[in-house]
Each structure stands twice: as structure tokens, then as C-alpha cells.
Amino acid sequence: MKVTVGISAHHVHLTKEDLEILFGEGYELTVNRNINQPGQFASNEFVTIRTPKSEIAHIRILGPVRSYTQVELSKTDYIKLGLDAPMRESGDIENSAKVTIIGPKGMIEREAGIIATRHIHVPIEDAEKLGLAGYDYVSVKVPGPKGGIMYHVSLRIAPNSYYEMHIDTDDANAFQIKNGAELEIYKDIQE
Amino acid sequence: MKVTVGISAHHVHLTKEDLEILFGEGYELTVNRNINQPGQFASNEFVTIRTPKSEIAHIRILGPVRSYTQVELSKTDYIKLGLDAPMRESGDIENSAKVTIIGPKGMIEREAGIIATRHIHVPIEDAEKLGLAGYDYVSVKVPGPKGGIMYHVSLRIAPNSYYEMHIDTDDANAFQIKNGAELEIYKDIQE
């Protein structure tokens, strides 16, 4: 069973309220390009993430607005920022890393910083056919000179989703994985 | 069979001639701290690596001087610098990435930029006892929530060496490996 990889650069999700604090009352995100997950898009809007130690500018907002504000950076980013952020599933931000998010019209401080789990989006309609129904995690094999196996790749089996694996830039750079690579899923390796 | 990990931050090795161009005639590296490999040390001297796209400052020189000048950065670094560098064993720098190395007294341009292979230093006297004699590569298992297996970990079996695995910061951050972690060697996984 193969899956295509999409590399997620660091990005931010915002609530409508936080978007308006950062960009002004009534502001709406504008679409730069649609991404493969239905209804979601890379916006033209960027924020800066700041901590007492450092800051990272030009972090893109993914739309549309959500019910929670979440900052998804890599471990490499968090080391630069002097933060120890937890690895989490999207939406699980309680007690995550505290960051200041800065937009052109304002700034907010939120416990919202996570490292996203390696995960695979699986359309619920196809989970049976793909042989992935009933699994929470799989392992994925990476070929090439810096290849290996990733354990604990979580499955997000949901309606209205596009079959695709998401990894962050740390995994992409460590394993030297290119965007669009086809990787092999191992269901029986679960260490 | 276990091995202890040392995380190698990006660093530079220089010839005596290149050191003198960058730091002045007759200059000698000074010891900040010895590293585990006998006779080698982290110096107090730093350089900047520059490309047409960007630059990275404060990259430490490892001493003593060598017979070749070599720049060992992570894939993450090379992306920032706009370079596509090969993964190589130490010393194999022909046709590697071209960088400008800048010191306080001068600058040089060298084809010297590599991504170092994941490798394990094995004292030749202990190779048999460790069960590693005759192997060129092994695989290494990483526990934890971002765990997995690294294939193609090269063995550097040599006299006067200290038994230790070296990985770069991309592997450390992707797998969330801490300096000094003890990892398991798999001799029978060779994909």
C-alpha cells in the first residue's frame, strides 16, 4: 500500500477572533492556492512568531478560520525560539508551547505551539478498500540514501478528506524526502 | 548491541593553509573543549558560510587542521543557503557544494559542502567483540513518539577512535533524539 507525501512547511491556523485582532476588524483570509484537503487553502497572509529568545517571520496562515488557534512549527524552529513544544494531533493544544503571534494590526499571546504528528489523511469511504480501516497508526518506509522507517504515523480517517501523508520539514530534510514522493505503508510494524 | 549518540552541530574542518587565509598567517586553533574522538576538539574559532542566496554565521571549526577543507551542514541549512549538497563520508568532497567561507582576516571559495552520513565510530580493537567486524553499514532503531529506524548508518572502523554514533541536527530533530541517547543497532536490516 503506497501513499503520496505532502511536506507541510511551518504554518498557523487562526480563529476568526484572533484573525481580526491580528489583521483588523472584519478581515477575511484571501486564497493563494487550494491545498489537497477539500475546502482548505494556503492564504496570502503571514504572521511572525516571537518568543523572548528569538522570532521567525513570514509564517503562512492556512485557511479557512478554525475553532482554535494553532501554531505548527518544526523542532528545528522551536530550538531557534528556545521552546520545548509537544508533539500533538491537530486541535490538541492544551498546555502546548506559549508563543506571541504578530500580525500587521495587532499581536496575541497563545498556548498554541505544537509539533504536528506524522499523519495520513484517509477518506473514510476508502479506508476499507485501502486496508486501513480499524488502524490508528501505521509505519511508513522511506527509500534512498537517508532512508528508514517512521513509526507512529497516525491515520486521520474522516469524510471529505484527500488520501495523502503529511510530514514536517524536519522529517522531510532528515530522510531527504521530496514533495510528492510515494512511500510504502507497513501495517504490521508498530514499535 | 547499543551505541551512544553524539549530535553533530554544523561545523567546518580546515587545512592549515585555509585557516591562515581566514585567520591570518601563523594562526593556530585554540581548544574550547575536547570531543570524544581522540585528539579532536571543538575550537573557539568560528566562520560564516555564504552563498549568493543567504548566509549562516557562527559555524564552529573543529580541530586540529586536516588535509582537506570540509563544510558539514544539515539539509535544512543547505535549503536556507539555496544549495543542493550531496550526502558523503568525511573527506569525500569532490564535486560537493560550492560555498564561500568567511573568517576575520579573509575569505575563500571551496567546493567543500557535504551532508555527513549517519555514522558510527568503532575502535578497530573492539570491532570483533562488538560484533561489528566485517560490516560496512548497519541500521539503528530510535524509540519514542517520533521513533523509527535509520537505514544505511555507516561504520567507521578505525584505530584510535571512540565508540559513538554521530548524527546531524536534522536527524536529531526529526527523530527527537537527545544527545547521549542509547540506541539499538540492527545488523540484519539493510534496506
Side-chain angles (χ1 to χ4, degrees):
Chain A
M1 179 58 49
K2 295 263 191 180
V3 64
T4 301
V5 173
I7 301 169
S8 297
H10 52 207
H11 63 272
V12 167
H13 302 283
L14 294 174
T15 63
K16 183 176 183 341
E17 294 68 33
D18 285 346
L19 175 68
E20 293 196 354
I21 296 171
L22 298 177
F23 285 82
E25 204 181 318
Y27 194 90
E28 296 196 5
L29 292 170
T30 60
V31 178
N32 180 279
R33 61 191 154 74
N34 289 308
I35 62 175
N36 285 333
Q37 298 306 315
Q40 299 192 39
F41 60 91
S43 80
N44 294 303
E45 284 76 21
F46 296 88
V47 294
T48 291
I49 302 296
R50 184 180 292 168
T51 63
K53 183 180 176 190
S54 185
E55 69 173 39
I56 301 177
H58 207 67
I59 297 182
R60 195 185 291 273
I61 303 169
L62 260 57
V65 292
R66 292 194 177 185
S67 59
Y68 53 88
T69 286
Q70 179 168 285
V71 174
E72 297 181 45
L73 308 180
S74 68
K75 177 88 178 170
T76 299
D77 290 331
Y78 286 115
I79 289 173
K80 177 178 158 68
L81 294 170
L83 291 176
D84 190 16
M87 192 186 77
R88 296 281 182 82
E89 294 295 332
S90 196
D92 178 13
I93 51 170
E94 201 171 337
N95 296 315
S96 60
K98 189 194 283 183
V99 295
T100 299
I101 308 172
I102 304 170
K105 296 285 178 67
M107 61 171 71
I108 54 178
E109 192 175 78
R110 295 286 180 270
E111 270 185 16
I114 66 166
I115 297 168
T117 55
R118 307 155 167 171
H119 61 273
I120 300 174
H121 292 277
V122 180
I124 197 163
E125 307 79 14
D126 300 336
E128 200 77 48
K129 185 180 69 190
L130 290 164
L132 297 173
Y135 287 86
D136 293 324
Y137 295 92
V138 294
S139 293
V140 171
K141 183 178 155 186
V142 183
K146 282 198 78 189
I149 293 178
M150 295 182 190
Y151 296 149
H152 318 302
V153 178
S154 69
L155 298 183
R156 299 191 187 168
I157 302 178
N160 255 322
S161 59
Y162 179 89
Y163 181 54
E164 188 175 51
M165 177 173 182
H166 287 173
I167 57 173
D168 69 12
T169 50
D170 277 346
D171 276 326
N173 294 344
F175 285 94
Q176 300 199 348
I177 300 169
K178 289 195 163 67
N179 210 29
E182 297 240 306
L183 303 182
E184 183 82 21
I185 294 175
Y186 283 15
K187 292 188 292 185
D188 49 344
I189 301 179
Q190 293 288 347
E191 299 213 41
Chain B
M1 181 57 50
K2 296 261 191 182
V3 65
T4 301
V5 173
I7 301 170
S8 297
H10 52 207
H11 63 272
V12 167
H13 301 284
L14 294 175
T15 63
K16 183 174 180 349
E17 294 68 34
D18 284 347
L19 175 68
E20 293 197 356
I21 296 171
L22 298 177
F23 286 81
E25 204 181 316
Y27 194 89
E28 295 196 5
L29 292 171
T30 59
V31 178
N32 181 277
R33 61 189 153 75
N34 290 308
I35 63 176
N36 286 333
Q37 298 308 313
Q40 299 192 39
F41 60 91
S43 79
N44 294 302
E45 284 75 22
F46 297 87
V47 295
T48 292
I49 302 296
R50 184 180 292 167
T51 62
K53 184 181 176 190
S54 185
E55 69 173 39
I56 302 177
H58 207 68
I59 297 182
R60 195 184 293 272
I61 303 169
L62 260 57
V65 293
R66 292 195 177 185
S67 59
Y68 52 89
T69 286
Q70 178 169 287
V71 174
E72 297 182 42
L73 307 180
S74 69
K75 177 88 177 171
T76 299
D77 290 331
Y78 286 115
I79 290 172
K80 177 177 158 69
L81 293 170
L83 290 177
D84 190 15
M87 191 186 78
R88 295 280 181 83
E89 294 295 334
S90 195
D92 178 13
I93 52 170
E94 202 172 336
N95 295 314
S96 61
K98 188 193 285 182
V99 296
T100 299
I101 308 173
I102 304 170
K105 296 285 178 66
M107 63 171 67
I108 53 179
E109 192 174 78
R110 295 284 180 272
E111 271 185 15
I114 66 166
I115 296 168
T117 55
R118 307 155 169 171
H119 61 273
I120 300 175
H121 291 279
V122 180
I124 196 163
E125 306 78 16
D126 300 337
E128 199 78 46
K129 186 181 69 190
L130 291 163
L132 297 173
Y135 286 87
D136 292 324
Y137 295 93
V138 294
S139 293
V140 171
K141 182 177 155 185
V142 183
K146 283 198 77 188
I149 293 178
M150 296 182 189
Y151 296 149
H152 317 303
V153 179
S154 68
L155 298 185
R156 299 191 187 166
I157 302 179
N160 255 321
S161 60
Y162 180 88
Y163 182 53
E164 187 174 53
M165 177 175 183
H166 286 173
I167 57 172
D168 69 12
T169 49
D170 277 347
D171 276 325
N173 293 344
F175 284 94
Q176 300 199 348
I177 301 169
K178 288 196 164 66
N179 210 29
E182 297 242 305
L183 304 182
E184 184 80 22
I185 294 175
Y186 283 16
K187 292 188 292 185
D188 50 343
I189 302 178
Q190 293 289 349
E191 299 214 42

